[in-house]
Amino acid sequence: MKRVRPIQIAWKPDKKSSTPVYRQIVQYICDKVANGEWTIGSRLPPQRALAESFGVNRSTISTAIDELTSYGIISGKSGAGTQIVSNTWSLMLPTKPSWKKLISSGYLQENNRRMQQINRLEFAPDIIRLGTGELDPRLFPQKMWTEVLQKMSVEITSLGYAEPLGILTLREAIVEHMKQFGINVSTKNVLVTSGALQALQLISSCMLEEGSTVFTEAPTYLKSLQMFQSAGLNLNGISMDQDGMEYWKIAKQLQKSESSILYTIPTNQNPTGITMSNARRQELMNFCIKNRLPIIEDGAYQELCFDGESALPLKAIDDNGMVMYLGSASKTLAPGLRIGWVIASEPVIQRLGDAKMQMDYGASSLSQLVFAEFLQSGKYKEYLIGLKKILKKRRDNALKTLEKYFQDIATWDVPIGGFYIWLTFNDDVEVDDLFERALDKGILLNTGDIYDFKHNRSLRLSFAYLTCEEFTAAMRTIRNGLY
Amino acid sequence: MKRVRPIQIAWKPDKKSSTPVYRQIVQYICDKVANGEWTIGSRLPPQRALAESFGVNRSTISTAIDELTSYGIISGKSGAGTQIVSNTWSLMLPTKPSWKKLISSGYLQENNRRMQQINRLEFAPDIIRLGTGELDPRLFPQKMWTEVLQKMSVEITSLGYAEPLGILTLREAIVEHMKQFGINVSTKNVLVTSGALQALQLISSCMLEEGSTVFTEAPTYLKSLQMFQSAGLNLNGISMDQDGMEYWKIAKQLQKSESSILYTIPTNQNPTGITMSNARRQELMNFCIKNRLPIIEDGAYQELCFDGESALPLKAIDDNGMVMYLGSASKTLAPGLRIGWVIASEPVIQRLGDAKMQMDYGASSLSQLVFAEFLQSGKYKEYLIGLKKILKKRRDNALKTLEKYFQDIATWDVPIGGFYIWLTFNDDVEVDDLFERALDKGILLNTGDIYDFKHNRSLRLSFAYLTCEEFTAAMRTIRNGLY
Ligand SMILES: Cc1ncc(COP(=O)(O)O)c(C=O)c1O
Ligand SMILES: Cc1ncc(COP(=O)(O)O)c(C=O)c1O
């Protein structure tokens, strides 16, 4: 079966082409493997010989070989020489076009490297995470959790495929829960998803047409941008002032002919911490009704308004099914549950539910039941009160720290809840440079340029992940390193 | 704000158009609402007046109104008349093209109605489900479950976002677990997904190009077809004999120019129960290597081969990364966990993992930890031994029942495991008709035509959902109703 023909090369890359030479070589070899001329087990000539045949220098060969190795098409066990080891799945990796489109598009690629670096470093031991968008794991309500799981351990007597919209008990609990935010709907208006992120995916892939425009706040939640982009939507970032999105700037960009939607995080926005004022909310709603611009309202941080500081969701003043609301258990209780929900009109929920069933059959029933029990037992409510007290204290401490150390060189707004403070330096503190210097001291920063290249003088600070002491110490270190 | 202009109609549908008249009216009204001429709150003229304006009869108007109501664009509260209630999200429902493509494509639409009927009826009380692809909930290992959840209730001290490929403990447990099936890989070759279905979605959307061809067994797992189709892939069903897919029939349909893959459920196939013979497996592998046809092996029923009856996965004889293997906890333990996994080469897993993170951040950590504990504690193994004993008894009883009541009018094969027996009637028993008659007796059948219109003399029987007594009684009822 395994007759291996010796490899012959009678081809040279085109040095005048706009495609880099090493890419041409990668493609040439992929083609040879794909069309079966070079079979599995074939040995490539040594790099020196390859360089000669192709008429290129060694380093170009070496780059091409590295790339082919990373796809798993060849394996370069030293000694044995380089060999073709796969001719199927791996060959698809370099070619799938929409995926390439996805990761190579615009500025998302630019910040990809920095973002990947941050993602990796977040798992490093002892790193101090000053900008992480996650709750401090030490705030996990361990006792309640144990009680809930113990109850579930005897109450769950089977775990079949769940109803298309999500387990009814959970949808009932969500309906109850949303009332405090002025949202009055029925269980048929609720779809349970695997986190708010999946809700964005469902909406992008089954409600929006490719080529539509999504207006978002700029800067905004990074993964939402990736999601919209991978669904083939055009992004249009709208700047914010202290009252939220400057929606009037949309007007001149609205084209009658193409469909558009608006994505907003009106409360405790990620990454700026801005909460849209009530007046702005009403104006925005009127603008969207007039321009027939449907709204996705991301309420991931809605439930984290501190005592005495609150904001009603847009959905609460939505008489016309203009707003689709997204909720999530990730920022309050636990991202690992992967529970989110969508609130919308019945026919919209119906379609999203159909799509969800096609994609993965719905969120984990176990997660759904656990979150339902948290809501229904009143434990979630009780926990949230305590959590908000702690976060408020942490915010106040963060603000005090900033006043003490950064008054002279930066500005920031006071968030009414959530996780974030958006710090902007007055003069040209290079956050890129700052990132490296902070890292040297073991501190990981989420620099503004990740979210929007224009924001290269800003930092997203999170007071949710660190204790007051840890936050203050880290900020002091950064300040001291600055001059 | 809410100035409502009276509605004027000066347009008539084109009765010679190939678009049905009611559809034209729906589109006309949608357009008026979308372009803002008819505002929210506008009242439609009474149906009689509409019929006159459009020059059509009342029943056509009524169909159009029903459709618009189902989208949530108008609301027909009786008394108040019909009113425009939404001008945004709902308007997107009738137009989103790829979704329409999805649900209107080919024979999948045909069986859509029957399938939806079955999905609905499965939740009806007291219905006897003779073809359901789920394990009997009474076989849920309650005691083990309680032990596992109680352990988790104290062991889990936080639930953050999980690692991209899935929680390491679970991947380690899966690596260990797969060894008994001759699959020896490392944790870097494993990606945890929200069920095998999501694995299919990830592969379809980020490895395969639109317009590629997927060769599948015919008939096959219905949702896999929907998934492939919604990713824009062409389906090509290949018939089976008792040894499995007749792969040689692929040869003449392989076009050099376009990329193709093969999807197979070689062991205890859904819906036929056929297990591919070892000889056929080796032949198929050789064929695929020769033709560079990558394989998706769906092992959803792999772990359910009864004692003394077994089959090694294709992945176990795969030296070249030709095979991507899918596993699932759904058919053995609990579909509600939504846990599945992919086994493939490292670069492929890496890309699928990236895509997964973009879509929903990974499967529920809670589900992952619970399944890991089942595997690592040995509970899963112990449970599976018991489960297979019960299923084997149920299969033997099912075969005895068939011999007793259906010997003269039908044929079937003996499955070596899994859930299903594929029954084919000798002469023209109309399964469509049979479906209705069985339903009258409270029995729900999965008729063959759901899976493939050619199979309109077949039934998918499941011995996994009912006890021996229930199965026999239901089959007896069906037999008695036949003549
Ligand atoms: C604004 C916003 N929406 C949604 C999410 C993701 O939520 P989930 O974990 O529910 O997918 C995040 C997480 O960072 C977020 O910041
Ligand atoms: C062949 C096959 N693969 C996959 C699945 C779905 O598995 P999961 O629940 O893991 O998505 C099924 C369920 O019916 C099936 O029959």
Side-chain angles (χ1 to χ4, degrees), chain A residues 2-22:
Chain A
K2 290 205 181 172
R3 194 169 42 84
V4 173
R5 271 164 278 167
I7 280 181
Q8 304 281 346
I9 296 173
W11 169 89
K12 283 193 171 35
D14 174 4
K15 292 189 181 166
K16 297 201 198 85
S17 157
S18 65
T19 309
V21 167
Y22 87 92

Side-chain angles (χ1 to χ4, degrees), chain B residues 112-219:
Chain B
N112 218 16
R113 237 166 256 276
R114 167 59 48 83
M115 204 55 225
Q116 277 169 2
Q117 192 183 10
I118 293 179
N119 287 343
R120 237 187 0 263
L121 285 166
E122 283 187 339
F123 286 95
D126 296 329
I127 198 104
I128 297 161
R129 295 158 65 172
L130 244 177
T132 291
E134 269 189 74
L135 215 50
D136 186 345
R138 294 163 291 187
L139 300 179
F140 190 68
Q142 184 68 51
K143 191 168 148 283
M144 288 178 182
W145 178 255
T146 305
E147 287 164 9
V148 168
L149 271 200
Q150 301 229 337
K151 186 147 183 251
M152 289 302 108
S153 78
V154 293
E155 277 190 1
I156 296 175
T157 56
S158 83
L159 270 189
Y161 289 109
E163 298 131 89
L165 302 187
I167 293 177
L168 184 61
T169 334
L170 175 55
R171 283 184 290 132
E172 283 167 353
I174 288 172
V175 163
E176 242 353 272
H177 177 65
M178 293 317 291
K179 285 184 182 157
Q180 67 187 291
F181 302 104
I183 297 176
N184 295 294
V185 292
S186 92
T187 53
K188 290 181 176 169
N189 301 115
V190 178
L191 172 72
V192 177
T193 60
S194 304
L197 187 62
Q198 195 195 33
L200 283 176
Q201 199 224 344
L202 291 171
I203 298 166
S204 307
S205 69
C206 87
M207 296 291 297
L208 308 178
E209 287 185 45
E210 259 188 63
S212 304
T213 298
V214 182
F215 293 99
T216 71
E217 283 129 4

Side-chain angles (χ1 to χ4, degrees), chain A residues 161 361, chain B residues 195-197 221 263 265 270 298 300-301 328 330-331 338-339:
Chain A
Y161 289 110
Y361 265 123
Chain B
L197 187 62
Y221 171 44
Y263 169 73
I265 312 164
N270 176 9
D298 187 334
Y301 303 89
S328 170
S330 293
K331 301 302 160 180
R338 305 311 302 126
I339 294 292

Side-chain angles (χ1 to χ4, degrees), chain A residues 184-482:
Chain A
N184 295 293
V185 292
S186 90
T187 51
K188 289 183 175 167
N189 301 114
V190 178
L191 172 71
V192 177
T193 58
S194 304
L197 187 62
Q198 194 193 33
L200 283 176
Q201 200 226 343
L202 291 171
I203 297 166
S204 306
S205 69
C206 87
M207 296 291 296
L208 307 178
E209 286 184 46
E210 257 188 65
S212 305
T213 298
V214 183
F215 294 99
T216 71
E217 283 129 4
T220 189
Y221 171 44
L222 200 60
K223 279 196 175 267
S224 75
L225 297 182
Q226 293 169 341
M227 188 63 83
F228 293 136
Q229 245 186 4
S230 67
L233 307 174
N234 300 317
L235 301 175
N236 197 327
I238 305 295
S239 56
M240 285 177 279
D241 61 19
Q242 290 190 338
D243 289 326
M245 190 190 256
E246 298 172 319
Y247 66 86
W248 54 88
K249 293 185 174 167
I250 295 175
K252 48 179 182 282
Q253 315 205 41
L254 267 180
Q255 278 158 13
K256 276 280 166 238
S257 57
E258 68 170 33
S259 64
S260 309
I261 63 148
L262 185 137
Y263 168 74
T264 175
I265 312 164
T267 307
N268 302 312
Q269 206 247 5
N270 176 8
T272 65
I274 293 174
T275 291
M276 198 183 286
S277 66
N278 286 332
R280 181 68 54 85
R281 280 171 203 246
Q282 194 57 65
E283 290 163 33
L284 175 69
M285 284 295 284
N286 292 346
F287 176 85
C288 288
I289 291 172
K290 191 158 145 258
N291 291 286
R292 292 169 297 287
L293 191 61
I295 300 173
I296 301 174
E297 175 178 29
D298 187 334
Y301 303 89
Q302 177 65 45
E303 312 195 3
L304 291 172
C305 292
F306 304 150
D307 261 7
E309 309 173 86
S310 81
L312 270 194
L314 294 165
K315 186 71 193 164
I317 53 168
D318 172 40
D319 296 327
N320 319 118
M322 179 72 64
V323 179
M324 219 188 277
Y325 179 90
L326 312 186
S328 170
S330 293
K331 302 302 159 178
T332 50
L333 184 57
L337 278 180
R338 304 312 302 125
I339 294 293
W341 58 95
V342 185
I343 295 180
S345 72
E346 209 178 308
V348 168
I349 289 294
Q350 209 62 49
R351 173 172 299 180
L352 294 176
D354 284 352
K356 178 149 182 49
M357 285 310 269
Q358 288 229 355
M359 286 185 186
D360 67 3
Y361 265 123
S364 158
S365 304
L366 180 54
S367 287
Q368 291 190 56
L369 290 168
V370 163
F371 189 54
E373 174 63 20
F374 259 99
L375 287 173
Q376 286 186 322
S377 61
K379 285 190 168 68
Y380 181 73
K381 196 170 179 181
E382 183 192 332
Y383 154 71
L384 214 54
I385 292 172
L387 177 67
K388 288 197 288 186
K389 271 201 196 123
I390 296 171
L391 288 180
K392 187 178 184 171
K393 225 161 85 185
R394 289 187 177 186
R395 176 204 58 181
D396 292 344
N397 171 73
L399 292 171
K400 240 175 32 208
T401 305
L402 293 182
E403 271 155 38
K404 183 158 173 195
Y405 298 110
F406 291 84
Q407 184 97 294
D408 53 332
I409 55 164
T411 56
W412 57 90
D413 291 324
V414 176
I416 66 160
F419 288 6
Y420 310 115
I421 297 176
W422 186 250
L423 182 95
T424 302
F425 290 102
N426 296 334
D427 40 44
D428 291 28
V429 174
E430 260 297 335
V431 291
D432 223 51
D433 185 44
L434 190 61
F435 178 87
E436 298 298 342
R437 278 152 74 189
L439 202 53
D440 279 345
K441 307 264 181 208
I443 298 171
L444 186 62
L445 293 177
N446 285 45
T447 51
D449 53 349
I450 309 172
Y451 305 97
D452 190 343
F453 58 89
K454 280 180 298 194
H455 292 271
N456 58 0
R457 290 191 299 119
S458 302
L459 294 179
R460 180 182 86 173
L461 299 173
S462 166
F463 49 83
Y465 198 77
L466 301 176
T467 63
C468 292
E469 295 67 36
E470 289 165 344
F471 185 92
T472 303
M475 289 308 286
R476 198 189 308 119
T477 305
I478 291 196
R479 182 62 177 96
N480 290 339
L482 266 179

Side-chain angles (χ1 to χ4, degrees), chain B residues 130 401-402 404-412 423-441 443 445 447 456-459 461 473-483:
Chain B
L130 244 177
T401 304
L402 292 182
K404 184 157 171 197
Y405 296 111
F406 291 83
Q407 181 96 297
D408 52 333
I409 54 165
T411 56
W412 57 88
L423 182 94
T424 301
F425 290 103
N426 294 337
D427 40 45
D428 291 29
V429 174
E430 259 297 332
V431 290
D432 223 51
D433 185 45
L434 190 61
F435 178 87
E436 297 298 342
R437 278 152 75 188
L439 200 54
D440 280 345
K441 307 266 182 207
I443 299 171
L445 293 177
T447 50
N456 58 1
R457 290 190 299 118
S458 302
L459 294 178
L461 299 172
M475 289 308 286
R476 199 188 309 120
T477 304
I478 291 199
R479 182 60 178 99
N480 290 339
L482 266 180
Y483 296 102

